[in-house]
Amino acid sequence: MQNYFTKINRVHNGLTRPLLGFSWRNYSVKYDNITPKINEKIGRNIFLKPNHPINIIKTLVEQHFLKSQPDFKVFDSFHPKVSTKQNFDDLLIPLDHVSRGPSDTYYYDENTVLRTHTTAHQVHLIKDGHKAFLVTGDVYRRDEIDATHYPVFHQMDGVKVFKQGDQKDSGTETLEKHVELELKKDLEGVVRAIFGADSQIRWNVEYFPFTDPSFELEVYFNDHWMEVLGCGVIRSEILKNTGYDTSEYVGYAFGIGLERLAMKVFEIPDIRLFWSQDNRFLSQFKNGEFTKFKSYSKYPACYKDISFWTPSEYNDNSFYELVRDVAGDLVETVKIVDEFKHPKTQRVSKCFRINYRSMDRSLSNEEVDQLQWVVRERVAKELMVELR
Ligand code: PHE
């Protein structure tokens, strides 16, 4: 299946990004792309607020682990600002990997980013001597805009390091095989604790740069298979770099996306709701309970189209980001509705439909017109597109 680490050549204006021998460091791009709207989210820590749906899922997974394996340590207060070394290099993510690009990642400067996954904490925690831990936090990715994509979301990573001899009791021949079986057993347990003891689940082989073998776990839920987590056996090179003798030690690692689980379990239809300060949302949930979300009314939507000719340096994520920066949570979706290349000039024209809707109130026409006007002004100025 396609994941964040397997998407390798996204198409830009009909051109595939060069990959071989290509490094983001040589590419003339802005390494300072954290907008005020994103900045506002840092430190809100909704995942730490009791009775918040993300906190309910987090607590449940932690308690599930601690119940049978009390040696697991829980970390949830690392700042999301990390080095590119922590987020990418330590995890063997290639220098030319798309996920490193400033079109996908928020950069403070060339060497500092907002973490794109909580796996960024894996290596320093192992180096500090921790052998079993869970680490939760907010993660940031520049992405499209719809009901399930938001530039800030939450992940929980887990790691456990095993030693030669641990496999004895299980009767498994090698430590590697033992670790893989323990990983699958532990994660199946968590997923059953959330979706019910008799839930249907399946394992698929996956790819991540930092684990080998790698897997994803899917749960059959509401008539379809849903991917809930990625995991695998930590690549021995990583353990070696942290100082372990890899003939003696093998570890597992996993990463769970908390929004996806919470959206399914509580039937929350739009990912923006997690950031709502509205009591009609917040008062509906209680730690330890799986109550279904009751929609308190859907205010009318209003859409506006925008069309422009794109310059060669253009990328869609920068456009989405700009729309978010102007309209914040008042934008529900941005969809591309038309795209064509001029046969003579080869210039690419795009038309996007921006759907505006507030979750807490009705928007006036004037307000939406004003937002759209600002989007148009800024797109023309900052992305150097030619409006049509
Ligand atoms: N960091 C991966 C992601 O964000 C998930 C993962 C974590 C996979 C740990 C394997 C091991 O998709």
Side-chain angles (χ1 to χ4, degrees):
M1 262 247 264
Q2 178 91 342
N3 77 30
Y4 176 62
F5 294 101
T6 52
K7 58 171 192 189
I8 47 169
N9 52 1
R10 199 186 282 176
V11 174
H12 286 257
N13 287 350
L15 289 171
T16 305
R17 269 186 196 159
L19 282 172
L20 276 178
F22 171 77
S23 156
W24 282 110
R25 276 159 208 278
N26 307 327
Y27 198 57
S28 60
V29 275
K30 271 198 356 208
Y31 278 107
D32 172 13
N33 56 1
I34 301 172
T35 61
K37 284 272 178 337
I38 291 299
N39 220 9
E40 264 168 31
K41 298 290 192 292
I42 302 171
R44 282 235 352 235
N45 293 338
I46 57 171
F47 69 106
L48 296 176
K49 304 262 186 295
N51 305 321
H52 189 285
I54 301 291
N55 183 261
I56 299 177
I57 299 288
K58 167 188 183 280
T59 310
L60 187 108
V61 178
E62 287 172 352
Q63 284 174 354
H64 179 82
F65 267 90
L66 290 172
K67 200 170 56 193
S68 57
Q69 307 188 61
D71 48 330
F72 264 85
K73 296 227 166 56
V74 169
F75 297 93
D76 55 19
S77 52
F78 291 123
H79 197 278
K81 182 177 181 174
V82 301
S83 64
T84 48
K85 179 174 179 298
Q86 291 175 304
N87 199 82
F88 301 119
D89 305 347
D90 285 351
L91 298 166
L92 314 179
I93 298 172
L95 268 181
D96 59 8
H97 197 275
V98 204
S99 67
R100 288 190 184 242
S103 59
D104 288 47
T105 296
Y106 292 102
Y107 278 82
Y108 284 91
D109 60 46
E110 217 182 320
N111 305 309
T112 323
V113 296
L114 279 169
R115 65 185 162 216
T116 64
H117 52 178
T118 39
T119 318
H121 299 291
Q122 178 180 116
V123 165
H124 71 84
L125 285 170
I126 298 178
K127 265 193 188 144
D128 283 349
H130 299 292
K131 287 204 165 68
F133 58 83
L134 300 170
V135 52
T136 306
D138 37 340
V139 301
Y140 298 75
R141 291 182 194 173
R142 297 183 86 208
D143 216 330
E144 47 204 284
I145 302 181
D146 63 28
T148 58
H149 289 88
Y150 199 79
V152 193
F153 56 102
H154 297 84
Q155 287 187 333
M156 179 189 288
D157 264 56
V159 162
K160 185 170 179 185
V161 180
F162 296 73
K163 193 179 182 326
Q164 284 298 349
D166 286 351
Q167 72 273 33
K168 293 268 156 52
D169 294 342
S170 67
T172 328
E173 256 164 52
T174 65
L175 182 57
E176 283 76 10
K177 196 66 202 168
H178 176 70
V179 169
E180 183 184 323
L181 293 176
E182 287 294 303
L183 170 67
K184 289 183 170 170
K185 188 184 72 188
D186 286 352
L187 292 174
E188 284 175 19
V190 174
V191 165
R192 290 191 194 287
I194 297 173
F195 291 95
D198 52 359
S199 49
Q200 248 184 296
I201 55 184
R202 71 178 182 199
W203 286 100
N204 299 324
V205 170
E206 249 299 353
Y207 166 79
F208 299 104
F210 30 89
T211 47
D212 186 27
S214 305
F215 310 96
E216 66 167 16
L217 179 55
E218 291 188 308
V219 186
Y220 197 72
F221 189 74
N222 286 349
D223 307 323
H224 68 275
W225 287 101
M226 176 179 77
E227 189 211 318
V228 292
L229 59 88
C231 65
V233 176
I234 299 175
R235 270 177 64 183
S236 60
E237 203 177 330
I238 296 182
L239 271 195
K240 197 168 84 207
N241 291 343
T242 63
Y244 273 107
D245 171 358
T246 50
S247 62
E248 278 292 310
Y249 294 90
V250 177
Y252 75 45
F254 62 83
I256 306 179
L258 300 181
E259 269 78 357
R260 295 204 61 191
L261 290 182
M263 286 179 85
K264 297 293 170 184
V265 168
F266 301 105
E267 294 178 8
I268 294 171
D270 191 309
I271 194 165
R272 291 176 299 165
L273 282 161
F274 291 117
W275 295 90
S276 170
Q277 319 243 31
D278 193 320
N279 243 335
R280 285 172 297 176
F281 176 77
L282 294 171
S283 65
Q284 292 196 28
F285 309 98
K286 278 229 156 44
N287 273 78
E289 289 176 19
F290 278 173
T291 33
K292 304 286 177 225
F293 171 65
K294 282 186 222 61
S295 178
Y296 38 87
S297 91
K298 213 165 169 181
Y299 293 92
C302 172
Y303 71 78
K304 299 273 173 203
D305 290 349
I306 178 168
S307 308
F308 47 77
W309 293 105
T310 60
S312 55
E313 287 286 286
Y314 167 89
N315 82 64
D316 286 342
N317 278 355
S318 299
F319 172 67
Y320 298 142
E321 184 75 58
L322 195 147
V323 176
R324 278 219 207 263
D325 200 38
V326 173
D329 290 352
L330 300 180
V331 51
E332 183 171 72
T333 54
V334 178
K335 287 201 188 96
I336 183 141
V337 286
D338 188 35
E339 177 169 2
F340 74 93
K341 197 185 243 174
H342 192 284
K344 286 229 176 66
T345 63
Q346 300 292 307
R347 280 217 292 173
V348 175
S349 165
K350 297 201 176 201
C351 176
F352 290 94
R353 177 158 297 170
I354 307 176
N355 204 33
Y356 296 95
R357 189 203 306 265
S358 162
M359 286 171 300
D360 325 309
R361 62 193 174 84
S362 281
L363 296 175
S364 69
N365 282 333
E366 295 74 47
E367 195 175 357
V368 174
D369 283 342
Q370 173 70 15
L371 289 169
Q372 183 71 3
W373 186 80
V374 178
V375 168
R376 288 180 65 87
E377 289 281 292
R378 286 191 50 188
V379 169
K381 217 164 64 221
E382 294 168 35
L383 303 184
M384 324 256 258
V385 306
E386 191 188 318
L387 293 172
R388 310 188 56 199

